[in-house]
Amino acid sequence: MKKVILTGDRPTGNLHLGHYVGSLKNRVALQEKGDYDEMYVFIADTQALTDNFKNPKKVRDNIIEVAIDYLSVGLDPSKVTIFIQSMISPLCELTMYYMNLVTLARLERNPTVKQEIRQKEFGNSIPVGFLNYPISQTADITAFETTIVPVGDDQLPMIEQAREIVRSFNNIYGETLVEPNALIPDNKVCRRLPGIDGKAKMSKSIGNCIYLKDDSETVKKKVMSMYTDPNHLRVEDPGDTKNNPVFIYLEALSTNEHFRKYLPEYKNLEELKSHYEKGGLGDVKVKRFLYDVIEDILTPIREKRKYYEENIDLVYNILEEGSKKAKEKASETLNKVKKAMLIDYFDEKTF
Ligand code: TRP
């Protein structure tokens, strides 16, 4: 079987460090490893509109921002097809057919959807389009015969639901669709990075993110203001590293090379942690190191961003070419689906 990798992001804001450690870094590594037949990364504007339908300008503006984020972290359009979801009309048709295979109760039970409904305070007025998005996401995944979906752990319920739809479809209409598998980062702390305020998740709507686009000054301010261990009042006090976002970020981002470069008195994170836990290590010193680590990662990304910002036509070309290519592949799958569902009337003139 072919190895097809696919993943996407909603264009509702710039991508941040949570996206970087949870998925972007992984994608670039997969791209460089080259162990796949096809790889797709896309901007999920149709999905973004399910809860931003009153705010089309936001989605429009962020298409190009997310595209630049992708290219700046190193996604390479000669290796990966980068496209825009709404440009691929077969995805809507697939969604329509898959809707028959899913109950309302099943959608309402999806833990990620459930949490979002609560967060967005929809109450009893849940838009159908929003509730439907796991089905539309199944169309995204299956249209490309995706086998591997690299995502953060909040997306696991979506992949599970996609697998159920695939099984149900194949059961009823015969073996047609490919069952996808999620790929989550090995490093557990990377699966869900907390916000700089220590809240469970780095999230644009909470405003606790460090963006890939942030300049050095902004990053410094954010890092220096980060929540740490509230009981670590004086330098001599023993500190907690487990629920401390500064240490969680270091766990996700720092390498031994960073220690050699910026904090040679410690060999590695283990040493730094044990000093903090024992007492005698101040937050400011750890934060300064974290700032250096983040800057080390963001500096090359910022340079690439500058290039693409100055060459916007090139970015649009990449998106247009990618969308054309993606549409061809999705159309092939749609044809298979319609054939399996016996809605290929003019190919098979039965009587
Ligand atoms: N739901 C994803 C997010 O919130 C975006 C997305 C849409 C996606 N379709 C997808 C991710 C298909 C992986 C595969 O960011």
Side-chain angles (χ1 to χ4, degrees):
M1 194 166 55
K2 269 193 172 175
K3 216 167 163 181
V4 181
I5 303 173
L6 171 135
T7 191
D9 303 275
R10 297 182 191 179
T12 51
N14 278 97
L15 302 182
H16 52 62
L17 278 184
H19 295 112
Y20 180 77
V21 300
S23 183
L24 294 170
K25 200 172 138 189
N26 222 354
R27 292 180 206 177
V28 176
L30 286 166
Q31 165 190 288
E32 292 311 313
K33 208 164 152 217
D35 180 24
Y36 57 83
D37 297 288
E38 293 163 34
M39 182 164 171
Y40 300 89
V41 174
F42 74 100
I43 303 174
D45 61 334
T46 309
Q47 187 173 112
L49 283 164
T50 65
D51 63 328
N52 289 282
F53 54 89
K54 289 182 183 160
N55 207 348
K57 177 91 169 58
K58 173 166 128 189
V59 175
R60 174 71 182 84
D61 291 345
N62 280 300
I63 298 264
I64 199 71
E65 288 290 339
V66 171
I68 295 174
D69 281 331
Y70 283 169
L71 296 165
S72 310
V73 296
L75 287 178
D76 175 351
S78 72
K79 297 175 182 162
V80 173
T81 305
I82 302 176
F83 70 89
I84 304 176
Q85 186 185 21
S86 64
M87 295 293 100
I88 319 300
S89 49
L91 298 178
C92 299
E93 288 186 63
L94 289 172
T95 303
M96 190 76 189
Y97 299 130
Y98 297 166
M99 280 163 73
N100 298 327
L101 308 175
V102 185
T103 66
L104 192 55
R106 176 63 182 89
L107 287 170
E108 285 172 334
R109 257 202 325 271
N110 181 311
T112 301
V113 172
K114 225 167 150 175
Q115 192 193 354
E116 283 173 300
I117 287 172
R118 231 180 292 125
Q119 242 171 29
K120 295 176 203 302
E121 296 173 357
F122 282 139
N124 286 326
S125 312
I126 308 167
V128 175
F130 181 78
L131 198 60
N132 191 48
Y133 95 72
I135 303 179
S136 147
Q137 186 156 339
T138 301
D140 305 336
I141 295 170
T142 55
F144 299 90
E145 305 190 304
T146 306
T147 50
I148 302 158
V149 191
V151 281
D153 71 352
D154 63 317
Q155 293 297 301
L156 291 177
M158 299 301 156
I159 312 301
E160 194 43 48
Q161 187 143 24
R163 290 164 62 89
E164 281 174 33
I165 293 172
V166 167
R167 286 197 288 263
S168 168
F169 188 100
N170 289 348
N171 242 327
I172 300 169
Y173 304 110
E175 210 53 43
T176 311
L177 301 173
V178 178
E179 221 175 293
N181 287 293
L183 178 68
I184 56 177
D186 294 334
N187 185 348
K188 258 200 180 138
V189 296
C190 291
R191 292 178 196 165
R192 185 178 302 214
L193 206 65
I196 55 172
D197 56 357
K199 295 237 170 72
K201 195 181 165 186
M202 193 176 272
S203 159
K204 193 191 52 316
S205 52
I206 309 177
N208 58 2
C209 310
I210 294 176
Y211 292 99
L212 301 179
K213 193 186 175 176
D214 282 345
D215 59 28
S216 303
E217 216 28 61
T218 309
V219 172
K220 185 174 243 161
K221 262 197 222 123
K222 288 182 179 175
V223 170
M224 291 328 254
S225 74
M226 269 179 81
Y227 178 88
T228 60
D229 171 8
N231 299 316
H232 186 244
L233 296 175
R234 286 165 308 171
V235 173
E236 314 84 76
D237 291 339
D240 168 48
T241 57
K242 279 206 184 59
N243 300 305
N244 185 332
V246 174
F247 278 93
I248 296 174
Y249 285 18
L250 286 175
E251 191 88 57
L253 296 165
S254 72
T255 60
N256 293 352
E257 180 59 28
H258 287 135
F259 277 91
R260 258 197 302 282
K261 232 161 126 180
Y262 303 115
L263 201 60
E265 354 40 309
Y266 301 88
K267 240 206 247 66
N268 52 37
L269 187 56
E270 281 322 301
E271 279 190 16
L272 189 73
K273 267 166 125 177
S274 70
H275 191 182
Y276 192 84
E277 283 162 7
K278 224 172 32 214
L281 175 57
D283 283 329
V284 170
K285 183 161 179 175
V286 187
K287 284 180 171 176
R288 284 214 181 103
F289 174 57
L290 175 60
Y291 168 70
D292 286 334
V293 169
I294 295 177
E295 281 295 292
D296 195 64
I297 293 167
L298 292 189
T299 303
I301 296 177
R302 282 190 203 115
E303 275 162 23
K304 281 217 193 94
R305 166 172 282 279
K306 188 160 176 290
Y307 170 77
Y308 286 109
E309 281 178 351
E310 286 163 2
N311 291 280
I312 286 298
D313 282 351
L314 175 62
V315 181
Y316 274 101
N317 271 339
I318 290 168
L319 292 173
E320 200 173 350
E321 287 304 309
S323 297
K324 237 187 245 160
K325 200 167 148 203
K327 190 169 179 182
E328 276 168 30
K329 168 93 181 211
S331 300
E332 282 169 27
T333 305
L334 177 64
N335 285 339
K336 282 189 206 167
V337 160
K338 288 170 88 171
K339 191 170 165 58
M341 293 181 74
L342 310 180
I343 43 183
D344 57 338
Y345 310 118
F346 305 127
D347 298 330
E348 205 63 61
K349 299 188 188 70
T350 53
F351 179 62

